[in-house]
Amino acid sequence: MLVVGFPAGAFQANCFIIAPGEGAQCVIVDPGQDAEEPLAEALRKHRLTPVAAVLTHGHLDHVYSVAPVCDGSDIPAWIHPDDRYMLSDPLRGLSRESAAFFGGLELREPKQVREMTDGSVLDLAGLTLTVTHTPGHTEGSVVFGHDTADGDHLLFAGDTLFAGSIGRTDLPGGSMARMTDSLRKLLSLDDETVVLPGHGGATTIGRERASNPFLTGMIDLDAPGSDHKHRGQGI
């Protein structure tokens, strides 16, 4: 299996390309700001043909380039319905500081948008992606799980879980209580599961279970979470 990733734009959001191998069809995960050129370069380098873009959530730093990327290759974008509004109205999901940074930015939906929900199974490019709804960072946040032919477990975690941190919950649609419930779902995964987050480097569920301060006492994952707001990573 081939996984290519790079940080894009002012917020360095990770964009991934996943494919069975070189010269195959592929899926794009979270084409954010300024992602078009490095995506095109990676597709040429590895001789890949995109068939879909899948979005972990609707925040601008993860969907900025989705319309030109999808429309340019005539492929659909997949998103949870609770976050779809941000494809055409991105400033609604931002903090005041981020909204001021982007000013009067206007985006539009790709020509093809498809919705996915908790438990959806996406069979794309010879890959099977399992969708888990993980609200907390946004109402429509999801993660994508994939089991490789070699028995490895991958999790494209968006802004739900990072190496050493979790997604912030102080933006519109955020909820610490819902984030806590979502993190409980992720902690049910095998320790060997490789986590590819929306910002920063890769980690594993086992490493985060053992050392992430938000999973080892700062948040009580054995009891209903309080709904205070956590200013973590992501916009």
Side-chain angles (χ1 to χ4, degrees):
M1 182 179 176
L2 176 68
V3 179
V4 178
F6 59 88
F11 294 95
Q12 295 288 280
N14 289 331
C15 176
F16 295 102
I17 304 170
I18 52 178
E22 301 269 349
Q25 293 183 330
C26 69
V27 176
I28 299 166
V29 183
D30 288 356
Q33 184 189 26
D34 299 332
E36 291 177 76
E37 185 174 334
L39 269 174
E41 181 179 347
L43 294 174
R44 286 193 300 268
K45 177 180 179 180
H46 299 286
R47 298 174 288 110
L48 300 173
T49 302
V51 299
V54 297
L55 307 174
T56 60
H57 62 294
H59 278 163
L60 182 64
D61 56 335
H62 293 258
V63 307
Y64 191 103
S65 299
V66 67
V69 165
C70 287
D71 293 352
S73 296
D74 193 26
I75 61 175
W78 289 83
I79 193 167
H80 191 280
D82 288 348
D83 274 13
R84 182 170 178 171
Y85 71 93
M86 283 188 272
L87 294 178
S88 57
D89 194 1
L91 299 187
R92 281 178 58 193
L94 301 184
S95 66
R96 288 183 180 179
E97 296 84 357
S98 297
F101 178 87
F102 286 101
L105 177 71
E106 294 184 2
L107 295 182
R108 61 172 179 82
E109 285 193 353
K111 293 178 181 177
Q112 301 180 59
V113 178
R114 299 177 184 172
E115 296 182 350
M116 58 193 173
T117 56
D118 189 46
S120 293
V121 177
L122 308 182
D123 291 316
L124 302 167
L127 305 168
T128 299
L129 301 178
T130 302
V131 179
T132 302
H133 185 207
T134 55
H137 181 60
T138 67
E139 293 176 312
S141 288
V142 303
V143 300
F144 300 103
H146 176 69
D147 296 334
T148 72
D150 295 328
D152 296 323
H153 307 291
L154 302 180
L155 187 74
F156 296 88
D159 286 3
T160 298
L161 179 65
F162 303 109
S165 189
I166 63 174
R168 61 189 293 181
T169 61
D170 62 331
L171 298 175
S175 165
M176 193 66 247
R178 299 189 79 187
M179 174 65 84
T180 301
D181 289 340
S182 294
L183 292 170
R184 287 196 192 99
K185 292 182 183 180
L186 300 191
L187 286 176
S188 69
L189 300 174
D190 292 342
D191 281 352
E192 295 77 19
T193 300
V194 175
V195 178
L196 299 167
H199 299 267
T203 184
T204 65
I205 290 293
R207 187 179 306 157
E208 297 313 300
R209 191 194 310 278
S211 63
N212 188 319
F214 296 98
L215 306 184
T216 60
M218 291 183 69
I219 291 176
D220 182 0
L221 294 179
D222 295 319
S226 64
D227 204 18
H228 68 281
K229 298 295 185 179
H230 161 64
R231 188 178 174 86
Q233 296 192 46
I235 63 170

